Amino acid sequence: MRQSVRVRSTLALSAIVALATWAPTSYAQQPSKRPPKTPAAQPAAPTTPAPPLNTPLEVPPPPTVNDPMLAPVPPAAKNVGSWEQALDMVRARSTDLRIAFDQVKAAEAQSRVALGSALPTLQGTGAATYNFLTKDQQQIAGLDVTGGTITPRFQSVESPTRGPFLTGSLVAAVPLLSPRAWYGIGTAHATEDFARLSVEDAKRTIALNVANSLIGVVTAERVAELNRIGFRSALERLELAQRRKQLGAATGLDVVRAQQDVESARATLVTGDESLRKTREALGLALGTGEPIGVEPSISLDGIEKSAGTACKPAGSIEERADIAAARQNVVRTERTITDAKYQYSPTITAQSTLSATSVDSNQQNPTWNIQAILSVPFYDGGIRDGQRRAAYAATDQAEQQLVAKRRAAEVDVARARRQVSVATDSRKVAADARQLAAELDRLTRAQYIEGEGTSLDLVIAGSGLRNADVNLALRDFELVQARIVSLLALANCPF
């Protein structure tokens, strides 16, 4: 009986010594106060009391573990090294920015069209004609004298208009009175200004999207790294639980709990790696390419925030923000369409001169030249102008309501963005405190377990809590920087 007790005591002590290798290497290294291991033939009896739980323990390195999933996610084929490089890629490849610039070019083209309708025009026409059905002409071929009577003799001659013959004309027209054409020039310029302001709003939106995408990749990289650290820690727990079971100091339940913790950490690792791949793809789309793009390790969250603040300048008020200015200009543009519809009822006067010539041999003047003054009065067109006038009123009211809605949304966005900075700061502080508590709980739980107190369930729960706290703190860092950038760009213009 005594021999059996001695054997069990020796096994328990050996298991405790083996578990000392489980503690993380980040613990403070201090001289150990634990007694030396006694020989197997003598009872294990410590000569000094166990150290308090809050005293750091000197522990050997953790056991060596190996798993294919410990390898990091392969780096992206292309990486962004700075905010300026990201903006260069946006200028060269962004489809949204290209579309906005194309809209400006289209508005400029319409301005030229509006100007052309108020300027003189010169138009030339030419035609080659052959008439298949014509009437022959009768002409006097001579005179017949019979008995003192003179009778003309006629003969049929082919009509000179049968052809082929050529005709040409040159027409010059000068608008003398054209109120609608003159007013349309100003309307086209208003549309051009609206398109330019839309480009500025697109730049602000693109800058915010790029900044968020960059921060998302940096955060996903950090979360993936933390997931691997937690996964390695879970594998070390499993290795030591299996070793302890072999020494007789643990049960199969302890091993199963450790295995369950490993699978939970593995699932988190898989999800985190996929999130990293998605954020790289999102960054690629934001930069105007279809391939994933990563970030250089030298990029930091604070650096992204400072660079975004340099590229975008704060606006004085909500009215100066690009989208509000564009909506206000849209109201001006649509209001002009009402007056444009009214000008359709106005008469027009045009001076026109025509020079024409033909190859037909006739007795008429060839070529001919005339000058005309043409008065055009639109009396009735079936109701087309009235319908266009009512459509212009409806479009103007719609633009005004859109301006009101954008103002309200902008006010809420600015207030929410500024408030979110305070909320994100508090959330980050709470997450930092929770992470510190989780780390201390994990340390104390390990220390207790090494001293033979506590259960494997406590150990697994403490380790899982520390992993979650690390990831949560990384996410709160991301949210804080994101909130600062959103607060900056909520009331800013980005003339990059």
Side-chain angles (χ1 to χ4, degrees):
M1 183 67 178
R2 291 180 179 178
Q3 185 67 23
S4 175
V5 172
R6 291 174 182 172
V7 171
R8 286 197 298 269
S9 300
T10 301
L11 292 175
L13 180 59
S14 300
I16 292 174
V17 174
L19 285 171
T21 63
W22 185 12
T25 57
S26 60
Y27 290 165
Q29 304 294 320
Q30 294 185 2
S32 175
K33 299 182 180 180
R34 297 181 56 79
K37 184 173 68 173
T38 58
Q42 299 179 2
T47 58
T48 58
L53 294 181
N54 58 354
T55 301
L57 301 174
E58 180 182 6
V59 294
T64 302
V65 293
N66 188 20
D67 191 280
M69 296 189 67
L70 288 174
V73 179
K78 291 184 179 180
N79 291 327
V80 175
S82 64
W83 173 265
E84 290 72 18
Q85 182 182 357
L87 290 185
D88 290 340
M89 295 182 65
V90 167
R91 295 188 191 99
R93 302 182 179 183
S94 175
T95 55
D96 293 337
L97 192 60
R98 183 68 175 269
I99 290 172
F101 279 121
D102 288 341
Q103 290 175 346
V104 174
K105 292 180 180 179
E108 292 174 347
Q110 291 300 318
S111 295
R112 189 63 186 85
V113 171
L115 177 62
S117 63
L119 295 178
T121 61
L122 181 63
Q123 183 177 359
T125 60
T129 307
Y130 183 85
N131 294 318
F132 290 95
L133 298 178
T134 59
K135 183 178 181 180
D136 293 342
Q137 297 180 358
Q138 299 292 326
Q139 68 179 15
I140 298 175
L143 297 175
D144 293 334
V145 179
T146 305
T149 302
I150 301 175
T151 304
R153 185 174 67 254
F154 294 93
Q155 65 178 4
S156 296
V157 179
E158 184 178 306
S159 173
T161 60
R162 177 181 293 273
F165 61 91
L166 301 176
T167 59
S169 63
L170 194 62
V171 180
V174 179
L176 300 180
L177 179 63
S178 183
R180 187 188 180 195
W182 298 337
Y183 189 78
I185 297 175
T187 303
H189 287 317
T191 303
E192 193 175 336
D193 294 338
F194 169 71
R196 291 195 179 96
L197 290 172
S198 298
V199 170
E200 297 303 319
D201 181 50
K203 288 181 178 180
R204 185 184 70 89
T205 304
I206 290 172
L208 180 59
N209 188 24
V210 170
N212 287 336
S213 299
L214 286 172
I215 295 174
V217 173
V218 174
T219 303
E221 295 275 7
R222 176 57 179 162
V223 170
E225 179 184 358
L226 293 175
N227 289 338
R228 275 170 175 75
I229 294 175
F231 182 55
R232 180 180 293 277
S233 178
L235 289 174
E236 292 171 359
R237 289 191 188 92
L238 177 59
E239 175 69 21
L240 292 169
Q242 293 173 345
R243 186 182 304 179
R244 189 181 184 194
K245 181 183 178 184
Q246 293 174 358
L247 297 175
T251 64
L253 179 60
D254 297 324
V255 176
V256 171
R257 284 172 177 167
Q259 289 176 338
Q260 188 178 23
D261 187 42
V262 168
E263 297 307 317
S264 177
R266 191 188 303 274
T268 302
L269 182 62
V270 172
T271 303
D273 290 350
E274 179 60 19
S275 297
L276 174 57
R277 298 185 189 96
K278 289 182 178 180
T279 55
R280 288 175 176 175
E281 293 170 349
L283 178 58
L285 292 175
L287 297 180
T289 180
E291 59 182 338
I293 295 181
V295 296
E296 297 290 347
S298 58
I299 289 185
S300 64
L301 296 179
D302 293 337
I304 296 174
E305 179 184 354
K306 293 179 181 179
S307 299
T310 303
C312 300
K313 306 302 180 183
S317 64
I318 291 179
E319 295 299 321
E320 297 179 11
R321 209 171 79 164
D323 58 336
I324 303 301
R328 189 169 57 251
Q329 183 64 26
N330 189 39
V331 173
V332 174
R333 181 179 65 89
T334 54
E335 285 177 345
R336 292 185 66 89
T337 61
I338 298 177
T339 307
D340 180 77
K342 293 179 180 178
Y343 272 130
Q344 295 185 55
Y345 294 92
S346 63
T348 60
I349 300 176
T350 304
Q352 180 173 304
S353 178
T354 304
L355 174 65
S356 61
T358 180
S359 62
V360 177
D361 186 12
S362 64
N363 296 327
Q364 298 179 355
Q365 175 64 37
N366 186 31
T368 61
W369 181 28
N370 62 58
I371 297 176
Q372 296 176 316
I374 302 173
L375 173 64
S376 177
V377 181
F379 290 107
Y380 181 69
D381 62 355
I384 296 177
R385 289 170 295 184
D386 183 65
Q388 292 177 346
R389 181 183 58 83
R390 288 187 291 177
Y393 274 111
T396 301
D397 184 69
Q398 183 180 9
E400 291 174 349
Q401 297 306 313
Q402 288 175 348
L403 175 60
V404 173
K406 284 184 177 294
R407 279 199 183 108
R408 293 172 181 172
E411 292 174 355
V412 174
D413 287 344
V414 172
R416 183 180 297 171
R418 292 173 177 174
R419 185 177 67 248
Q420 189 62 30
V421 174
S422 176
V423 174
T425 302
D426 295 340
S427 298
R428 199 270 176 195
K429 183 178 182 304
V430 172
D433 294 341
R435 195 272 171 194
Q436 184 177 1
L437 291 175
E440 181 65 11
L441 176 62
D442 182 69
R443 187 187 72 83
L444 293 177
T445 304
R446 290 172 183 265
Q448 283 185 338
Y449 199 65
I450 291 174
E451 295 297 328
E453 301 178 6
T455 64
S456 61
L457 179 60
D458 298 331
L459 209 58
V460 169
I461 293 176
S464 177
L466 180 57
R467 290 198 307 268
N468 294 335
D470 284 333
V471 174
N472 187 51
L473 179 58
L475 294 177
R476 298 295 85 77
D477 287 334
F478 158 71
E479 290 179 354
L480 177 57
V481 177
Q482 184 185 39
R484 289 173 178 171
I485 293 178
V486 172
S487 177
L488 172 67
L489 299 183
L491 195 60
N493 296 318
C494 302
F496 61 84

